[in-house]
Amino acid sequence: MATVIRCTIHGRVQGVGYRAWTVRNARKLGLTGWVRNTTDGTVEALFAGEPAAVEAMIEGCAQGPLAAKVSKVERMLADIPAPSTFTQLPTAPHGEAPPARGPERDE
């Protein structure tokens, strides 16, 4: 059974390649979900997949790419179906529900 976790990553995480790093690493781990910047300066992500792979991704998020300075990673169980791919979504207000089907970017 897939684990689905929603995370909010705080710190210097925008403008440093954090979303692209997240997409690459999540796909390497075989995860599905999404990542996006938020208007409050955080990054939100949804990770779905095998529990060990989800945990490895969340641990990696505490470090992020070289230019990032992560101060905190918040996590909570997400009670939503796992997406079929891992994508980058457009910037949105923090906590806003992602579109059920909408623009997906592979940047």
Coordinates of all heavy atoms in Angstrom, one line a residue:
M1 N 0.8 -1.2 0.0 CA 0.0 0.0 0.0 C 0.9 1.2 0.0 O 1.9 1.3 0.7 CB -0.9 0.0 1.2 CG -1.8 1.2 1.3 SD -2.8 1.0 2.8 CE -4.2 1.9 2.3
A2 N 0.5 2.2 -0.8 CA 1.3 3.4 -0.9 C 1.1 4.3 0.3 O 0.0 4.5 0.8 CB 1.0 4.2 -2.2
T3 N 2.2 5.0 0.7 CA 2.1 6.0 1.7 C 2.0 7.3 1.0 O 2.7 7.5 0.0 CB 3.4 6.0 2.5 OG1 3.5 4.8 3.3 CG2 3.5 7.1 3.5
V4 N 1.2 8.2 1.4 CA 1.0 9.5 0.8 C 1.2 10.6 1.9 O 0.5 10.7 2.9 CB -0.4 9.7 0.2 CG1 -0.5 11.1 -0.5 CG2 -0.7 8.6 -0.8
I5 N 2.3 11.4 1.7 CA 2.7 12.4 2.7 C 2.7 13.8 2.0 O 3.3 13.9 0.9 CB 4.0 12.1 3.4 CG1 4.0 10.8 4.0 CG2 4.4 13.2 4.3 CD1 3.3 10.7 5.3
R6 N 2.2 14.8 2.7 CA 2.3 16.2 2.2 C 3.3 16.9 3.1 O 3.2 16.9 4.3 CB 0.9 16.9 2.2 CG 0.9 18.2 1.5 CD -0.5 18.7 1.4 NE -0.5 20.0 0.7 CZ -1.6 20.5 0.1 NH1 -2.8 19.8 0.2 NH2 -1.6 21.7 -0.4
C7 N 4.2 17.6 2.4 CA 5.2 18.3 3.2 C 5.2 19.8 2.8 O 4.9 20.2 1.7 CB 6.6 17.7 2.8 SG 6.9 16.1 3.4
T8 N 5.6 20.6 3.8 CA 5.9 22.0 3.6 C 7.4 22.2 4.0 O 7.8 21.9 5.1 CB 5.0 22.9 4.4 OG1 3.6 22.6 4.1 CG2 5.3 24.4 4.2
I9 N 8.2 22.8 3.1 CA 9.6 23.0 3.3 C 9.8 24.5 3.5 O 9.5 25.3 2.6 CB 10.4 22.4 2.2 CG1 10.2 20.9 2.0 CG2 11.9 22.6 2.4 CD1 9.2 20.5 0.9
H10 N 10.5 24.8 4.6 CA 10.7 26.2 5.0 C 12.2 26.6 4.8 O 13.0 25.7 4.9 CB 10.3 26.5 6.4 CG 8.9 26.2 6.7 ND1 7.9 27.2 6.8 CD2 8.2 25.0 7.0 CE1 6.8 26.7 7.1 NE2 6.9 25.4 7.2
G11 N 12.5 27.8 4.7 CA 13.9 28.3 4.6 C 14.1 29.0 3.3 O 13.2 29.5 2.6
R12 N 15.4 29.0 2.8 CA 15.7 29.6 1.5 C 15.5 28.4 0.5 O 16.4 27.7 0.2 CB 17.1 30.1 1.5 CG 17.3 30.9 0.2 CD 18.7 31.5 0.1 NE 19.7 30.4 0.1 CZ 21.0 30.6 0.0 NH1 21.5 31.8 -0.1 NH2 21.8 29.6 -0.1
V13 N 14.3 28.3 0.0 CA 13.9 27.1 -0.8 C 13.3 27.6 -2.2 O 13.0 26.7 -3.0 CB 13.0 26.2 -0.1 CG1 13.7 25.5 1.1 CG2 11.7 26.8 0.4
Q14 N 13.2 28.9 -2.4 CA 12.7 29.3 -3.7 C 13.9 30.1 -4.4 O 14.7 30.7 -3.8 CB 11.5 30.2 -3.6 CG 10.3 29.5 -3.1 CD 9.0 30.3 -3.2 OE1 9.0 31.3 -3.8 NE2 8.0 29.8 -2.5
G15 N 14.0 29.9 -5.7 CA 15.0 30.5 -6.5 C 16.4 29.8 -6.4 O 17.4 30.4 -6.8
V16 N 16.4 28.6 -5.9 CA 17.6 27.8 -5.7 C 17.6 26.5 -6.4 O 18.4 25.6 -6.1 CB 17.9 27.7 -4.2 CG1 18.2 29.0 -3.5 CG2 16.8 26.9 -3.5
G17 N 16.6 26.2 -7.2 CA 16.5 24.9 -7.9 C 15.8 23.8 -7.1 O 15.9 22.7 -7.5
Y18 N 15.1 24.2 -6.1 CA 14.6 23.2 -5.1 C 13.5 22.3 -5.8 O 13.5 21.1 -5.7 CB 13.9 23.9 -3.9 CG 13.8 22.9 -2.8 CD1 14.8 22.9 -1.8 CD2 12.7 22.0 -2.7 CE1 14.7 22.0 -0.7 CE2 12.6 21.1 -1.6 CZ 13.6 21.1 -0.6 OH 13.5 20.2 0.4
R19 N 12.6 22.9 -6.6 CA 11.6 22.1 -7.3 C 12.2 21.2 -8.3 O 11.8 20.0 -8.3 CB 10.5 23.0 -8.0 CG 9.7 23.8 -6.9 CD 8.8 24.8 -7.6 NE 9.6 25.8 -8.3 CZ 9.2 26.6 -9.2 NH1 8.0 26.5 -9.7 NH2 10.0 27.4 -9.8
A20 N 13.1 21.6 -9.1 CA 13.7 20.7 -10.1 C 14.5 19.6 -9.4 O 14.4 18.4 -9.8 CB 14.7 21.5 -11.0
W21 N 15.2 19.9 -8.3 CA 15.8 18.9 -7.5 C 14.8 17.9 -7.0 O 15.1 16.6 -7.0 CB 16.6 19.6 -6.4 CG 17.2 18.6 -5.4 CD1 18.5 18.1 -5.5 CD2 16.6 18.0 -4.2 NE1 18.7 17.3 -4.4 CE2 17.6 17.2 -3.6 CE3 15.4 18.2 -3.6 CZ2 17.3 16.5 -2.5 CZ3 15.1 17.5 -2.5 CH2 16.1 16.6 -1.9
T22 N 13.7 18.4 -6.5 CA 12.7 17.5 -6.0 C 12.1 16.5 -7.0 O 12.0 15.3 -6.8 CB 11.5 18.3 -5.3 OG1 12.1 19.1 -4.3 CG2 10.5 17.4 -4.7
V23 N 11.8 17.1 -8.2 CA 11.3 16.3 -9.3 C 12.3 15.2 -9.6 O 11.9 14.0 -9.7 CB 11.0 17.1 -10.5 CG1 10.7 16.3 -11.7 CG2 9.8 18.1 -10.2
R24 N 13.6 15.5 -9.8 CA 14.6 14.5 -10.2 C 14.7 13.4 -9.2 O 14.7 12.2 -9.5 CB 15.9 15.2 -10.4 CG 16.2 15.9 -11.7 CD 17.6 16.2 -11.9 NE 18.2 16.9 -10.8 CZ 18.2 18.2 -10.6 NH1 17.5 19.0 -11.4 NH2 18.8 18.8 -9.5
N25 N 14.8 13.8 -7.9 CA 15.0 12.8 -6.8 C 13.8 12.0 -6.6 O 13.9 10.8 -6.3 CB 15.5 13.5 -5.6 CG 16.9 13.9 -5.7 OD1 17.8 13.1 -5.6 ND2 17.2 15.1 -6.0
A26 N 12.6 12.6 -6.6 CA 11.3 11.8 -6.4 C 11.2 10.7 -7.5 O 10.8 9.6 -7.3 CB 10.1 12.7 -6.4
R27 N 11.5 11.1 -8.8 CA 11.4 10.2 -9.9 C 12.4 9.0 -9.7 O 12.1 7.9 -10.0 CB 11.5 10.9 -11.2 CG 10.3 11.7 -11.5 CD 10.5 12.5 -12.8 NE 9.3 13.2 -13.2 CZ 9.2 14.1 -14.1 NH1 10.3 14.4 -14.9 NH2 8.1 14.8 -14.4
K28 N 13.6 9.4 -9.3 CA 14.6 8.3 -9.1 C 14.2 7.3 -8.0 O 14.5 6.1 -8.1 CB 16.0 9.0 -8.6 CG 16.8 9.6 -9.7 CD 18.0 10.2 -9.1 CE 18.7 11.1 -10.1 NZ 19.9 11.7 -9.5
L29 N 13.4 7.8 -7.0 CA 12.9 6.9 -6.0 C 11.6 6.2 -6.4 O 11.1 5.4 -5.6 CB 12.7 7.7 -4.7 CG 14.0 8.2 -4.0 CD1 13.7 9.2 -2.9 CD2 14.7 6.9 -3.4
G30 N 11.1 6.5 -7.6 CA 9.9 5.8 -8.0 C 8.6 6.4 -7.4 O 7.6 5.7 -7.3
L31 N 8.7 7.6 -6.9 CA 7.5 8.3 -6.3 C 6.7 9.0 -7.3 O 7.1 9.4 -8.3 CB 8.0 9.3 -5.2 CG 8.9 8.7 -4.1 CD1 9.3 9.8 -3.2 CD2 8.1 7.7 -3.3
T32 N 5.4 9.2 -6.9 CA 4.5 10.0 -7.6 C 4.1 11.2 -6.7 O 4.3 11.1 -5.5 CB 3.2 9.2 -8.1 OG1 2.5 8.8 -7.0 CG2 3.6 8.1 -9.0
G33 N 3.5 12.2 -7.3 CA 3.1 13.3 -6.5 C 3.4 14.6 -7.2 O 3.4 14.7 -8.5
W34 N 3.7 15.7 -6.5 CA 3.9 17.0 -7.1 C 4.7 17.9 -6.1 O 4.9 17.6 -4.9 CB 2.6 17.7 -7.4 CG 1.6 17.7 -6.4 CD1 0.5 16.9 -6.2 CD2 1.5 18.6 -5.2 NE1 -0.2 17.2 -5.1 CE2 0.3 18.2 -4.5 CE3 2.2 19.7 -4.8 CZ2 0.0 18.9 -3.3 CZ3 1.9 20.3 -3.6 CH2 0.7 20.0 -2.9
V35 N 5.3 19.0 -6.7 CA 6.0 20.0 -5.9 C 5.6 21.3 -6.5 O 5.4 21.4 -7.7 CB 7.5 19.7 -6.0 CG1 8.1 19.8 -7.4 CG2 8.2 20.6 -5.0
R36 N 5.6 22.3 -5.6 CA 5.3 23.7 -6.1 C 5.8 24.7 -5.1 O 5.9 24.4 -3.9 CB 3.8 23.9 -6.3 CG 3.0 23.8 -5.0 CD 1.5 24.0 -5.3 NE 0.8 23.8 -4.0 CZ -0.5 23.7 -4.0 NH1 -1.2 23.7 -5.1 NH2 -1.2 23.6 -2.8
N37 N 6.1 25.9 -5.6 CA 6.3 27.1 -4.7 C 5.0 27.6 -4.2 O 4.0 27.4 -4.8 CB 7.0 28.2 -5.5 CG 8.5 28.0 -5.8 OD1 9.1 27.1 -5.1 ND2 9.0 28.7 -6.7
T38 N 5.0 28.2 -3.1 CA 3.8 28.9 -2.5 C 4.1 30.4 -2.4 O 5.2 30.8 -2.4 CB 3.4 28.3 -1.2 OG1 4.5 28.6 -0.2 CG2 3.2 26.8 -1.2
T39 N 3.0 31.1 -2.3 CA 3.1 32.6 -2.3 C 3.7 33.0 -0.9 O 4.1 34.2 -0.9 CB 1.8 33.2 -2.5 OG1 0.8 32.7 -1.6 CG2 1.3 33.0 -3.9
D40 N 3.8 32.2 0.1 CA 4.4 32.6 1.3 C 5.9 32.3 1.4 O 6.5 32.5 2.5 CB 3.6 32.0 2.5 CG 3.8 30.5 2.7 OD1 4.5 29.9 1.9 OD2 3.3 29.9 3.6
G41 N 6.5 31.8 0.3 CA 7.9 31.6 0.3 C 8.3 30.1 0.6 O 9.5 29.8 0.6
T42 N 7.4 29.3 0.9 CA 7.7 27.9 1.2 C 7.6 27.1 -0.1 O 7.2 27.6 -1.1 CB 6.8 27.3 2.3 OG1 5.5 27.3 1.8 CG2 7.0 28.0 3.6
V43 N 8.0 25.8 0.0 CA 7.7 24.8 -1.1 C 6.8 23.8 -0.5 O 7.1 23.3 0.6 CB 9.1 24.2 -1.6 CG1 8.8 23.0 -2.5 CG2 9.9 25.3 -2.3
E44 N 5.8 23.4 -1.2 CA 4.9 22.3 -0.8 C 5.2 21.1 -1.7 O 5.4 21.3 -2.9 CB 3.5 22.7 -0.9 CG 3.0 23.6 0.2 CD 1.5 23.9 0.1 OE1 1.0 24.0 -1.1 OE2 0.9 24.0 1.1
A45 N 5.1 19.9 -1.2 CA 5.2 18.7 -2.0 C 4.3 17.6 -1.5 O 4.0 17.5 -0.3 CB 6.7 18.2 -2.0
L46 N 3.9 16.8 -2.4 CA 3.2 15.6 -2.1 C 4.0 14.4 -2.6 O 4.3 14.3 -3.8 CB 1.8 15.6 -2.7 CG 0.9 14.4 -2.4 CD1 0.2 14.6 -1.1 CD2 -0.1 14.1 -3.5
F47 N 4.3 13.5 -1.7 CA 5.0 12.3 -2.1 C 4.2 11.0 -1.8 O 3.7 10.8 -0.7 CB 6.3 12.2 -1.2 CG 7.2 13.4 -1.3 CD1 7.5 14.2 -0.3 CD2 7.8 13.7 -2.5 CE1 8.3 15.3 -0.3 CE2 8.6 14.8 -2.7 CZ 8.9 15.6 -1.5
A48 N 4.1 10.2 -2.8 CA 3.3 8.9 -2.7 C 4.2 7.8 -3.3 O 4.8 7.9 -4.3 CB 2.0 9.1 -3.5
G49 N 4.2 6.7 -2.5 CA 4.9 5.5 -3.0 C 5.2 4.6 -1.8 O 4.5 4.6 -0.8
E50 N 6.2 3.7 -2.0 CA 6.6 2.8 -1.0 C 7.0 3.6 0.3 O 7.8 4.6 0.1 CB 7.7 1.9 -1.5 CG 7.2 0.9 -2.5 CD 6.1 0.0 -2.0 OE1 6.2 -0.5 -0.9 OE2 5.1 -0.2 -2.8
P51 N 6.7 3.1 1.5 CA 7.0 3.9 2.7 C 8.5 4.2 2.8 O 8.8 5.4 3.2 CB 6.6 3.0 3.8 CG 5.4 2.2 3.2 CD 5.8 2.0 1.8
A52 N 9.4 3.3 2.5 CA 10.8 3.6 2.7 C 11.3 4.6 1.7 O 12.1 5.5 2.0 CB 11.6 2.3 2.5
A53 N 10.7 4.6 0.5 CA 11.1 5.6 -0.5 C 10.6 7.0 -0.2 O 11.3 8.0 -0.3 CB 10.6 5.2 -1.9
V54 N 9.4 7.1 0.4 CA 8.8 8.3 0.8 C 9.7 8.9 2.0 O 10.0 10.1 2.0 CB 7.3 8.2 1.3 CG1 6.8 9.4 2.0 CG2 6.5 7.8 0.1
E55 N 10.0 8.1 2.9 CA 10.9 8.5 4.0 C 12.2 9.0 3.6 O 12.7 10.0 4.0 CB 11.1 7.4 5.1 CG 9.8 7.1 5.9 CD 9.3 8.3 6.7 OE1 10.2 9.1 7.2 OE2 8.1 8.6 6.7
A56 N 12.8 8.3 2.6 CA 14.1 8.7 2.0 C 14.0 10.1 1.4 O 14.9 10.9 1.5 CB 14.6 7.7 1.1
M57 N 12.9 10.3 0.7 CA 12.7 11.6 0.0 C 12.5 12.7 1.0 O 13.1 13.8 0.9 CB 11.5 11.5 -0.9 CG 11.3 12.8 -1.8 SD 12.6 12.9 -3.0 CE 12.7 14.7 -3.1
I58 N 11.8 12.5 2.1 CA 11.6 13.5 3.1 C 12.9 13.8 3.8 O 13.2 15.0 4.1 CB 10.5 13.1 4.1 CG1 9.1 13.0 3.3 CG2 10.4 14.0 5.3 CD1 8.0 12.3 4.1
E59 N 13.7 12.8 4.1 CA 15.0 13.0 4.7 C 15.8 13.9 3.8 O 16.5 14.8 4.2 CB 15.7 11.7 5.0 CG 15.1 11.0 6.2 CD 15.7 9.6 6.4 OE1 16.8 9.3 5.9 OE2 15.1 8.8 7.1
G60 N 15.8 13.6 2.5 CA 16.6 14.4 1.5 C 16.1 15.8 1.4 O 16.9 16.7 1.2
C61 N 14.8 16.0 1.6 CA 14.2 17.4 1.6 C 14.8 18.3 2.7 O 14.8 19.5 2.5 CB 12.7 17.4 1.7 SG 11.9 16.9 0.1
A62 N 15.2 17.7 3.8 CA 15.8 18.5 4.9 C 17.1 19.1 4.4 O 17.6 20.1 5.0 CB 16.0 17.6 6.1
Q63 N 17.7 18.6 3.4 CA 19.0 19.1 2.9 C 18.7 19.9 1.6 O 19.1 21.0 1.4 CB 20.0 18.0 2.6 CG 21.4 18.4 2.3 CD 22.1 19.0 3.5 OE1 21.8 18.6 4.6 NE2 23.0 19.9 3.3
G64 N 18.0 19.3 0.6 CA 17.7 19.9 -0.6 C 19.0 20.1 -1.5 O 20.0 19.5 -1.2
P65 N 18.8 20.9 -2.5 CA 20.0 21.2 -3.4 C 21.0 22.0 -2.7 O 20.7 22.6 -1.7 CB 19.3 21.9 -4.6 CG 18.1 22.5 -4.1 CD 17.6 21.6 -3.0
L66 N 22.2 22.1 -3.3 CA 23.3 22.8 -2.7 C 23.0 24.3 -2.2 O 23.4 24.7 -1.2 CB 24.5 22.8 -3.6 CG 25.2 21.5 -3.7 CD1 26.3 21.6 -4.8 CD2 25.7 20.9 -2.4
A67 N 22.3 25.0 -3.1 CA 22.0 26.4 -2.8 C 20.9 26.6 -1.7 O 20.7 27.8 -1.2 CB 21.7 27.2 -4.0
A68 N 20.2 25.6 -1.4 CA 19.1 25.7 -0.4 C 19.6 25.8 1.0 O 20.6 25.2 1.3 CB 18.1 24.6 -0.6
K69 N 18.8 26.4 1.8 CA 19.1 26.5 3.3 C 17.7 26.1 4.0 O 16.9 27.0 4.2 CB 19.5 27.8 3.8 CG 20.8 28.3 3.1 CD 22.0 27.6 3.8 CE 23.3 28.1 3.2 NZ 24.4 27.2 3.1
V70 N 17.5 24.8 4.2 CA 16.2 24.4 4.8 C 16.3 24.6 6.3 O 17.2 24.1 6.9 CB 16.0 22.9 4.4 CG1 14.7 22.4 5.0 CG2 16.0 22.7 2.9
S71 N 15.2 25.2 6.8 CA 15.1 25.4 8.2 C 14.2 24.4 8.9 O 14.3 24.1 10.1 CB 14.7 26.8 8.6 OG 13.4 27.1 8.0
K72 N 13.2 23.9 8.1 CA 12.2 23.0 8.7 C 11.5 22.3 7.6 O 11.2 22.9 6.6 CB 11.2 23.8 9.6 CG 10.1 23.0 10.2 CD 9.3 23.8 11.2 CE 8.6 25.0 10.6 NZ 7.6 25.6 11.5
V73 N 11.1 21.0 7.9 CA 10.3 20.3 7.0 C 9.1 19.8 7.8 O 9.3 19.0 8.7 CB 11.0 19.1 6.3 CG1 10.0 18.3 5.5 CG2 12.2 19.5 5.5
E74 N 7.9 20.3 7.5 CA 6.7 19.8 8.1 C 6.1 18.7 7.3 O 6.1 18.8 6.1 CB 5.7 21.0 8.3 CG 6.1 22.1 9.2 CD 5.1 23.2 9.2 OE1 4.9 23.9 8.2 OE2 4.5 23.4 10.3
R75 N 5.4 17.8 7.9 CA 4.8 16.7 7.2 C 3.5 16.3 7.8 O 3.3 16.4 9.0 CB 5.8 15.5 7.1 CG 6.1 15.0 8.5 CD 7.2 14.0 8.6 NE 6.7 12.7 8.2 CZ 7.4 11.6 7.9 NH1 8.7 11.7 8.0 NH2 6.9 10.5 7.6
M76 N 2.6 15.8 7.0 CA 1.4 15.2 7.5 C 0.9 14.2 6.5 O 1.1 14.3 5.3 CB 0.3 16.3 7.7 CG -0.2 17.0 6.4 SD -1.5 18.1 6.8 CE -1.0 19.5 5.8
L77 N 0.2 13.2 7.0 CA -0.5 12.2 6.1 C -1.5 12.9 5.3 O -2.2 13.8 5.7 CB -1.2 11.1 7.0 CG -0.2 10.1 7.6 CD1 -1.0 9.2 8.6 CD2 0.5 9.3 6.6
A78 N -1.5 12.5 4.0 CA -2.5 13.1 3.1 C -3.5 12.0 2.7 O -3.2 10.9 2.4 CB -1.8 13.6 1.8
D79 N -4.8 12.3 2.9 CA -5.9 11.4 2.6 C -6.4 11.7 1.2 O -7.6 12.1 1.1 CB -6.9 11.5 3.7 CG -8.0 10.4 3.5 OD1 -7.7 9.4 2.9 OD2 -9.1 10.6 4.1
I80 N -5.6 11.6 0.2 CA -6.0 11.8 -1.2 C -5.4 10.7 -2.0 O -4.4 10.1 -1.6 CB -5.5 13.2 -1.7 CG1 -4.0 13.3 -1.7 CG2 -6.2 14.3 -0.9 CD1 -3.5 14.6 -2.3
P81 N -5.9 10.4 -3.2 CA -5.4 9.4 -4.0 C -4.0 9.8 -4.5 O -3.7 11.0 -4.8 CB -6.4 9.3 -5.2 CG -7.5 10.1 -4.8 CD -7.2 11.0 -3.7
A82 N -3.1 8.8 -4.7 CA -1.8 9.1 -5.2 C -1.9 9.4 -6.7 O -2.6 8.7 -7.4 CB -0.9 7.8 -5.0
P83 N -1.2 10.5 -7.1 CA -1.1 10.8 -8.6 C -0.4 9.7 -9.3 O 0.3 8.9 -8.7 CB -0.4 12.1 -8.6 CG -0.4 12.6 -7.2 CD -0.5 11.4 -6.3
S84 N -0.5 9.7 -10.6 CA 0.1 8.7 -11.4 C 1.6 9.0 -11.9 O 2.3 8.1 -12.3 CB -0.7 8.4 -12.7 OG -0.8 9.6 -13.5
T85 N 2.0 10.3 -11.7 CA 3.3 10.7 -12.1 C 3.8 11.7 -11.0 O 3.1 12.1 -10.1 CB 3.4 11.4 -13.4 OG1 2.6 12.6 -13.4 CG2 2.9 10.5 -14.6
F86 N 5.1 12.1 -11.2 CA 5.6 13.2 -10.3 C 5.8 14.4 -11.1 O 6.5 14.4 -12.1 CB 6.9 12.8 -9.6 CG 7.1 13.7 -8.4 CD1 6.7 13.4 -7.1 CD2 7.7 15.0 -8.5 CE1 6.8 14.2 -6.0 CE2 7.9 15.8 -7.5 CZ 7.4 15.4 -6.2
T87 N 5.1 15.6 -10.8 CA 5.2 16.8 -11.6 C 5.4 18.0 -10.8 O 5.3 18.0 -9.5 CB 3.8 17.0 -12.3 OG1 2.8 17.1 -11.4 CG2 3.5 15.8 -13.3
Q88 N 5.8 19.0 -11.5 CA 5.9 20.4 -10.9 C 4.7 21.2 -11.2 O 4.3 21.3 -12.4 CB 7.2 21.1 -11.5 CG 7.4 22.4 -10.9 CD 8.7 23.1 -11.4 OE1 9.7 22.4 -11.4 NE2 8.6 24.3 -11.8
L89 N 4.1 21.7 -10.2 CA 2.8 22.5 -10.4 C 3.2 24.0 -10.3 O 4.2 24.4 -9.7 CB 1.8 22.2 -9.3 CG 1.3 20.7 -9.3 CD1 0.3 20.6 -8.1 CD2 0.6 20.4 -10.6
P90 N 2.3 24.9 -10.8 CA 2.5 26.3 -10.7 C 2.4 26.8 -9.3 O 1.8 26.1 -8.4 CB 1.3 26.9 -11.5 CG 0.8 25.8 -12.4 CD 1.1 24.5 -11.6
T91 N 3.0 27.9 -9.0 CA 2.9 28.5 -7.7 C 1.4 28.7 -7.3 O 0.6 29.1 -8.1 CB 3.6 29.9 -7.7 OG1 5.0 29.7 -8.1 CG2 3.6 30.6 -6.3
A92 N 1.2 28.5 -6.0 CA -0.2 28.7 -5.4 C -0.1 29.2 -4.0 O 1.0 29.0 -3.3 CB -0.9 27.3 -5.5
P93 N -1.2 29.7 -3.4 CA -1.2 30.0 -2.0 C -1.0 28.8 -1.2 O -1.4 27.7 -1.5 CB -2.6 30.5 -1.8 CG -3.1 31.0 -3.1 CD -2.4 30.1 -4.1
H94 N -0.3 28.9 -0.1 CA 0.1 27.8 0.8 C -1.2 27.1 1.3 O -2.2 27.7 1.6 CB 0.8 28.3 2.1 CG 1.1 27.3 3.1 ND1 2.1 26.4 2.9 CD2 0.5 26.9 4.2 CE1 2.1 25.5 3.9 NE2 1.1 25.9 4.7
G95 N -1.2 25.8 1.2 CA -2.3 25.0 1.6 C -3.5 24.8 0.6 O -4.4 24.0 0.9
E96 N -3.4 25.5 -0.5 CA -4.5 25.4 -1.5 C -4.4 24.0 -2.1 O -3.4 23.4 -2.4 CB -4.3 26.4 -2.6 CG -5.3 26.4 -3.7 CD -5.1 27.5 -4.7 OE1 -5.5 28.6 -4.4 OE2 -4.5 27.2 -5.7
A97 N -5.6 23.5 -2.3 CA -5.7 22.1 -2.9 C -5.2 22.2 -4.4 O -5.5 23.1 -5.1 CB -7.1 21.6 -2.9
P98 N -4.4 21.2 -4.8 CA -3.9 21.2 -6.2 C -5.0 20.9 -7.1 O -6.0 20.3 -6.7 CB -2.8 20.1 -6.2 CG -3.2 19.2 -5.1 CD -3.9 20.1 -4.0
P99 N -4.9 21.3 -8.4 CA -6.0 20.9 -9.3 C -6.0 19.4 -9.5 O -5.0 18.7 -9.4 CB -5.5 21.6 -10.6 CG -4.0 21.8 -10.5 CD -3.8 22.0 -9.0
A100 N -7.3 18.9 -9.6 CA -7.4 17.5 -9.8 C -6.7 17.0 -11.1 O -6.1 16.0 -11.2 CB -8.9 17.1 -9.9
R101 N -6.9 17.8 -12.1 CA -6.2 17.6 -13.4 C -5.9 19.0 -13.9 O -6.8 19.8 -14.1 CB -6.9 16.8 -14.4 CG -6.8 15.3 -14.1 CD -7.1 14.5 -15.2 NE -6.2 13.9 -16.2 CZ -5.2 13.2 -16.0 NH1 -4.7 13.0 -14.8 NH2 -4.5 12.7 -17.0
G102 N -4.7 19.3 -14.2 CA -4.4 20.7 -14.6 C -3.1 20.8 -15.2 O -2.4 19.8 -15.6
P103 N -2.5 22.0 -15.3 CA -1.2 22.2 -15.9 C -0.1 21.5 -15.1 O 0.0 21.6 -13.9 CB -1.0 23.7 -15.9 CG -2.0 24.2 -14.9 CD -3.1 23.2 -14.8
E104 N 0.6 20.6 -15.8 CA 1.7 19.9 -15.2 C 3.0 20.3 -16.0 O 2.9 20.5 -17.2 CB 1.5 18.4 -15.3 CG 0.3 18.0 -14.5 CD 0.1 16.5 -14.5 OE1 0.8 15.8 -15.3 OE2 -0.7 16.0 -13.8
R105 N 4.1 20.5 -15.2 CA 5.3 21.0 -15.9 C 6.4 20.0 -15.5 O 6.5 19.6 -14.3 CB 5.6 22.4 -15.5 CG 4.6 23.4 -16.0 CD 4.7 24.8 -15.5 NE 6.1 25.1 -15.1 CZ 6.3 26.2 -14.4 NH1 5.4 27.1 -14.1 NH2 7.5 26.5 -14.0
D106 N 7.3 19.7 -16.4 CA 8.4 18.9 -16.1 C 9.7 19.6 -16.1 O 10.7 19.2 -16.7 CB 8.5 17.7 -17.1 CG 7.4 16.7 -16.9 OD1 6.9 16.6 -15.8 OD2 7.0 16.0 -17.9
E107 N 9.7 20.8 -15.5 CA 11.0 21.6 -15.5 C 11.9 21.1 -14.4 O 11.6 20.7 -13.4 CB 10.6 23.1 -15.3 CG 9.7 23.6 -16.4 CD 9.3 25.0 -16.1 OE1 9.7 25.6 -15.1 OE2 8.5 25.5 -16.9

